[in-house]
Amino acid sequence: MSIPFSMSSFRRPSALALSLAAGLLLAGCGGGSAPTTFDLSAPRDFGRVGGSRATLVVQEPTTVQALDSDRVIVRDSAGALSFVGGAQWADRVPKLVQVRLIQTFENGGRVGSVARPGDRITPETQLLTDIRSFNIDAASGTAVVEITAKLVGDRTGDVRRARLFTARVPAGAVDGPGAAQALDRALSQVLVEIVRWAR
């Protein structure tokens, strides 16, 4: 049901990392109870972005298999991945990120110029993204979100611009709610930066 979590993979673990490991192990002993479902949010009240009114299609982000799921993931100091027991996202992470990114564009005042594949429009530009990181870093006790973005001409396929967006937010508690809240805050920072960059 989960990727094995090994305490031996830590070298000189911090107190937070040890607490996180204990939380993960205890959460796995819940005995079949349904996991708590968490959602991600689309930032609001960050001002209108203006800029081009060209039609932009936001594709679903690509990512590695481990992140293409609804699990809340922790990465230890050795790079090993594990799940936060008793917690899950409302959908697969790439799907949630796509929906919240489109909503962030809309919240920034680009309603009518942003769409998703299948909306029966002819876009001028496509926004291609790849989720590199979307996890809690146990060694530093932070939520880490890294997303690369490319603006690609729909007809020509040429890459017009490309950039890596990164955010790190301290994770207070080591349980599902704490991890989910920190990752949501980190993603919100990245979404706003992407919308301002792609205007």
Side-chain angles (χ1 to χ4, degrees), residues 24-151:
L24 289 167
L25 293 174
L26 289 174
C29 301
S33 58
T36 302
T37 300
F38 298 93
D39 204 352
L40 296 168
S41 57
R44 297 177 177 272
D45 303 323
F46 57 90
R48 297 179 66 86
V49 297
S52 171
R53 301 300 296 179
T55 303
L56 175 71
V57 163
V58 179
Q59 297 284 346
E60 181 175 312
T62 57
T63 192
V64 296
Q65 184 177 359
L67 298 179
D68 191 7
S69 74
D70 63 354
R71 306 304 296 269
V72 182
I73 294 178
V74 177
R75 182 186 297 271
D76 71 17
S77 59
L81 304 179
S82 58
F83 302 137
V84 176
Q88 66 180 12
W89 298 113
D91 205 334
R92 295 170 37 253
V93 168
K95 185 64 175 179
L96 278 179
V97 170
Q98 179 195 29
V99 171
R100 300 303 175 235
L101 180 54
I102 291 172
Q103 292 173 344
T104 305
F105 273 109
E106 294 171 343
N107 294 342
R110 287 197 62 173
V111 178
S113 64
V114 180
R116 71 192 70 204
D119 281 352
R120 296 186 178 181
I121 63 171
T122 302
E124 298 172 53
T125 309
Q126 293 196 40
L127 177 62
L128 308 181
T129 55
D130 180 77
I131 302 173
R132 289 189 177 183
S133 300
F134 196 90
N135 59 267
I136 300 296
D137 177 51
S140 61
T142 57
V144 182
V145 174
E146 291 186 342
I147 298 178
T148 60
K150 296 177 182 177
L151 285 173

